[in-house]
Amino acid sequence: MNQNNRDSFSGKLGVFMALVGSAVGLGNIWRFPYLAGENGGGAFLIVYFIFVLIIGIPAMLSEFVIGRRGQSNSFGSFKRLAPKTRWYFVGLMGIFAAIVVFAFYSTIAGWAFEYVVISAKNIFVPPGDVDHAQLFEDFHTKALMPLVWMAVFMLITAFVVLSGVQKGIEKTSTILMPLLFMFLIIFAVKAISLPGSAEGLKFLFYPDFSKINADVLLNALGQAAFSLSVGLGALITYGSYVQKDNNLLKTAFSVSVTNMFVAILAGMAIFPAVFAFGMAPEQGPGLVYVVLPAIFEQMAGGAYYAFGFFIVLIFAALTSAVSLLEVVAAYFKDEFRMKRSTATFAATGISAILAIFTTLSFGPLKNVNLFDHNLFDCSDFLASNILLPLGAFFIVIFLGWFYDTKQTKDELTNQGTIAFKLFPVFLFIIRFVAPLAILAIFLKEIRII
Ligand code: PHE
């Protein structure tokens, strides 16, 4: 605990692990590969990388400043930094987005449990001829098991959040993240060594710029925000637990580089394998669930790899889900003076109601469509492509135009004790580059420019 009795991370390593835990998740292993697959591979990777640089990292730094200055949840921090204004709406919008993301996140993470069970069975009894697309179709369109696994995932997440900032959030990430890196490196090496893998690497790294259109830009923007956990206040909330002597610049940079590295590693594990086995990269959200099991099956010891992979997927998802739930729980705890436990359960309960819909949207509620998309797709689109970029937009505008520049500089240089030579560049980016880029992408998407 620090001076004002607020929870805090234990130190530099704890901060780094918790933040990497939040950033690295389904976004890297499930979402990035399938979006890259649908949006042209290498060209998408480059646009995504540019958006991380000019929007993601500056927005991440801005959230850190708001959280560490505000010493509160995302709503409370805005209230403190901008009293008597309506900026707290940005915090509220983020809390709403966190509920939505936590809900659909739990649907996808829940599926991984089923696949852990399937792989475990396959270790003992090797399967005969399996049609993996059919298997996935049969499972994820049902009601009962997807709901049960979604609930299991939510409860584990709640348990971690309940255990507190250091003992729950930080400790879980510190144990799980190194394991995840290790596994992913093994998978990538394995995939690259498959005959015919070069096509996959080419797909991932060779940019075909003719593929870039308004949708690709919006998807890359959404993915940049989603993947760095930017735009809904997760980093404001975590920022409020970061010690005053932490070098926020170094932290933001190292977290973003690690996050990018893991996305590329996941791509290198998946695409070479996809191409080596002659499958299509544009499978959509089922990519890792349909393609990978088919590939594992053809490898010696594949069931073990499959088992390991889906456990890793759960780890990655868990440490990110924790940061989503913490956004909502911290808000309830600070603003309604609830105990951590009550706040956590209240937040989980609300998300769970929505998660029932996102989970069933592949089966019984398949035909409930909004704008031609099921409820899952709508939630993902609304949160990732609209609310998160919009949140990032307001966050950089707040810091760039509204909040006192001197205080921002103080916070980023730890009261002048560390250098930040590029501060004017940072200011220019959060004032002009990032907000205008987000605006342009939105306008392009709705065909105004
Ligand atoms: N960054 C996480 C991922 O890539 C998801 C996330 C988004 C977490 C927003 C917190 C806030 O999986």
Side-chain angles (χ1 to χ4, degrees), residues 231-398:
L232 54 68
L235 303 179
I236 296 181
T237 312
Y238 274 20
S240 75
Y241 306 140
V242 174
Q243 288 89 347
K244 285 286 179 195
D245 64 354
N246 189 289
N247 186 334
L248 295 178
L249 293 168
K250 271 197 189 153
T251 300
F253 197 70
S254 50
V255 170
S256 307
V257 170
T258 311
N259 184 56
M260 194 75 192
F261 178 70
V262 175
I264 292 179
L265 211 56
M268 283 170 49
I270 292 170
F271 290 116
V274 168
F275 281 84
F277 289 103
M279 297 186 156
E282 315 88 354
Q283 299 259 342
L287 183 68
V288 300
Y289 288 98
V290 177
V291 173
L292 287 183
I295 291 163
F296 288 135
E297 193 188 79
Q298 304 184 41
M299 295 174 11
Y304 290 97
Y305 280 108
F307 182 74
F309 176 81
F310 289 108
I311 297 245
V312 161
L313 197 61
I314 294 175
F315 289 172
L318 179 64
T319 52
S320 299
V322 161
S323 71
L324 292 161
L325 182 56
E326 179 68 15
V327 169
V328 192
Y331 167 64
F332 286 163
K333 182 168 140 302
D334 296 342
E335 304 302 325
F336 301 97
R337 307 214 169 280
M338 289 184 186
K339 282 197 297 207
R340 178 168 271 279
S341 52
T342 323
T344 305
F345 281 120
T348 310
I350 295 172
S351 292
I353 296 174
L354 197 62
I356 294 178
F357 289 96
T358 52
T359 305
L360 295 182
S361 71
F362 292 96
L365 299 181
K366 195 161 40 200
N367 297 324
V368 183
N369 280 353
L370 278 174
F371 310 109
D372 251 1
H373 287 283
N374 69 17
L375 294 172
F376 177 91
D377 287 341
C378 290
S379 312
D380 186 1
F381 187 86
L382 170 72
S384 314
N385 287 4
I386 300 179
L387 295 179
L388 263 53
L390 209 58
F393 177 82
F394 285 120
I395 285 164
V396 290
I397 294 264
F398 172 75

Side-chain angles (χ1 to χ4, degrees), residues 22-28 105 226-229 232 234 320 323-324 388:
S22 170
V24 171
L26 294 178
N28 307 60
Y105 214 81
F226 188 89
S227 186
L228 287 178
S229 304
L232 54 68
S320 299
S323 71
L324 292 161
L388 263 53

Side-chain angles (χ1 to χ4, degrees), residues 50-60 62-63 93 214 217-222 224-226 230-231 384-398 429-446 449:
I50 294 173
F51 289 164
V52 163
L53 269 185
I54 63 166
I55 298 169
I57 298 179
M60 175 184 276
S62 305
E63 287 204 30
M93 184 175 86
L217 291 180
L218 184 68
N219 281 328
L221 170 69
F226 188 89
V230 152
S384 314
N385 287 4
I386 300 179
L387 295 179
L388 263 53
L390 209 58
F393 177 82
F394 285 120
I395 285 164
V396 290
I397 294 264
F398 172 75
I429 292 182
I430 61 170
R431 282 193 174 159
F432 300 102
V433 182
L436 287 176
I438 297 172
L439 202 67
I441 296 164
F442 276 153
L443 293 179
K444 201 163 171 49
E445 176 68 16
I446 50 178
I449 58 174

Side-chain angles (χ1 to χ4, degrees), residues 62-82:
S62 305
E63 287 204 30
F64 287 165
V65 169
I66 297 171
R68 198 166 70 167
R69 275 263 136 163
Q71 284 296 302
S72 187
N73 62 82
S74 56
F75 166 88
S77 290
F78 274 108
K79 279 225 128 171
R80 286 209 190 160
L81 298 192

